[in-house]
Amino acid sequence: MRLVVIGASGLLGREVVRAAVRRGHAVLALGCTRAPAVPPGVETGRLAAGDLAGAERMVLDRFPDAVVNASALSDVGACERDPALARQANTELPGRLAQLAHHVGARFVHLSTDMVFDGTRGPYRSTDAPAPLNVYARTKLGGEEAVMAAGRHGACVVRSTPILGNTPGGDRTPHERLFLDWKAGKVTRLFAEEVRQPVSAPNLADVCVELAERGNLSGIFHWGGRDAVTRLELGQRIARRFGLDPAGLVEGVSHADIPGLPARPRDLSVELHPLSGKLRARPQGLDEILDGLEVPRGCEDWWRARTGGDVVRRLEQGLDF
Ligand SMILES: NC(=O)c1ccc[n+]([C@@H]2O[C@H](COP(=O)([O-])OP(=O)(O)OC[C@H]3O[C@@H](n4cnc5c(N)ncnc54)[C@H](OP(=O)(O)O)[C@@H]3O)[C@@H](O)[C@H]2O)c1
């Protein structure tokens, strides 16, 4: 299958490229400001922010069998600061890509977020009414609507939970950010009342590629891990996973402790049905997800000094591309 991955320089997009290559697909991997780092033999390119004409040329030149859109302005603070850019990246581009995919008869798989809900009554079903609390979430919901409006048949929206994984820079994912704090001598304050259901980047990537391959699934779906935990518990379990004592590294904090805190969703746990019963990919438990995490690049010496452990890099994680 000829597959185009947009947002291939990002956390998830990089794993989607790897999953697609493993499954024998011919991949074009597109970044925006960064060139994607890809396995040998994968073609790469860039799609500049706001370049809808470039998106059109790319799809009409290639006539792909499927497009996976893992691009987004995913930083919640950046979306608040520049709502127009957020709308362009999270609503307008997905809508145009979905129209183009529909036009050439390509499958379209688009990533959205559990944050379309306000967190007042999780676990959420994919049919529950969204109620986004911030610009990121509102523009992502706009993206879902634009994708479905372009043609429900042949398009999937996958609402993901927070993504755990390893990145080449060692500074993107939750455990990498925790390590950066700890290495800097900080105690990380984590919300004890916020419930999330993390997923691993490779597992979510497998789901995206499987959906790209399957002609009989379309609509809005939820995907995450099997286990919902508080952010505090997640931080504690990450510390323990690496042989570290959570006391002195993480501490619980409550929304009420922070004056002027913008509204934040409390419980964003999700039901994985019906997708979980329809795919070969299986939702992972948190222990399995944590087992796939590595000591982040740049934190090896700090971790060795703290634990006396050896940093083991799994070759198959291939962080160099
Ligand atoms: N990370 C999470 O925990 C999480 C949780 C739930 C849902 N999601 C969703 O999952 C998807 C993947 O997220 P991620 O964490 O992998 O994102 P990420 O690491 O921030 O990567 C975003 C990607 O989008 C590209 N991009 C940014 N602005 C763009 C624009 N205007 N036009 C075209 N490309 C643009 C970036 O390119 P450059 O870097 O080259 O500029 C990068 O490749 C997104 O839809 C996100 O909303 C993520």
Side-chain angles (χ1 to χ4, degrees), residues 8-313:
S9 51
L11 161 62
L12 177 66
R14 174 175 168 276
E15 295 291 344
V16 172
V17 172
R18 289 155 55 83
V21 169
R22 271 199 308 274
R23 294 159 87 108
H25 301 306
V27 179
L28 169 63
L30 298 178
C32 180
T33 57
R34 298 175 289 168
V38 293
V42 172
E43 194 183 350
T44 61
R46 290 196 199 182
L47 183 63
D51 186 6
L52 298 185
E56 184 173 327
R57 272 196 309 280
M58 181 272 297
V59 173
L60 296 181
D61 283 354
R62 300 272 161 174
F63 265 73
D65 300 301
V67 176
V68 177
N69 180 33
S71 76
L73 190 62
S74 63
D75 182 294
V76 172
C79 291
E80 293 297 322
R81 288 189 294 277
D82 194 340
L85 185 65
R87 198 166 44 251
Q88 185 187 73
N90 296 341
T91 303
E92 289 164 17
L93 178 65
R96 184 64 187 133
L97 288 170
Q99 285 171 350
L100 290 162
H102 186 68
H103 180 70
V104 300
R107 297 269 301 154
F108 187 66
V109 179
H110 173 70
L111 271 297
S112 189
T113 171
D114 52 5
M115 286 183 67
V116 296
F117 299 112
D118 63 9
T120 52
R121 52 186 184 89
Y124 288 97
R125 287 173 299 191
S126 55
T127 47
D128 285 339
L133 292 181
N134 55 38
V135 173
Y136 169 68
R138 279 194 291 277
T139 56
K140 291 295 292 183
L141 179 61
E144 294 185 357
E145 290 163 354
V147 167
M148 287 294 116
R152 287 190 86 83
H153 189 69
C156 295
V157 168
V158 184
R159 289 185 186 141
S160 170
T161 59
I163 303 173
L164 302 185
N166 307 297
T167 67
D171 59 357
R172 171 75 186 84
T173 58
H175 89 284
E176 293 173 342
R177 289 178 176 172
L178 286 174
F179 264 79
L180 288 178
D181 272 4
W182 300 342
K183 189 180 147 190
K186 291 186 197 153
V187 177
T188 312
R189 302 175 83 200
L190 296 168
F191 288 116
E193 75 262 69
E194 289 190 2
V195 175
R196 301 292 184 266
Q197 197 171 324
V199 65
S200 83
N203 178 256
L204 178 60
D206 279 338
V207 166
C208 293
V209 177
E210 204 176 333
L211 284 172
E213 291 165 350
R214 297 271 295 270
N216 58 342
L217 287 172
S218 56
I220 296 179
F221 300 107
H222 288 173
W223 193 260
R226 268 204 318 266
D227 300 321
V229 288
T230 68
R231 284 194 192 272
L232 176 61
E233 187 185 346
L234 180 61
Q236 291 166 334
R237 288 183 63 175
I238 287 172
R240 286 195 202 101
R241 149 74 182 91
F242 290 99
L244 299 162
D245 181 358
L249 293 176
V250 294
E251 66 182 25
V253 64
S254 142
H255 290 178
D257 295 335
I258 303 177
L261 184 76
R264 292 174 57 96
R266 284 176 189 262
D267 181 354
L268 289 183
S269 55
V270 292
E271 287 189 10
L272 305 180
H273 179 80
L275 197 54
S276 55
K278 294 184 190 292
L279 296 179
R280 279 192 302 273
R282 291 272 155 258
Q284 297 172 305
L286 187 57
D287 283 334
E288 185 184 354
I289 296 172
L290 296 180
D291 197 43
L293 302 183
E294 297 190 344
V295 174
R297 297 270 162 122
C299 293
E300 296 92 339
D301 290 347
W302 176 85
W303 182 75
R304 259 189 226 108
R306 195 96 186 196
T307 63
D310 282 330
V311 176
V312 178
R313 300 251 174 250

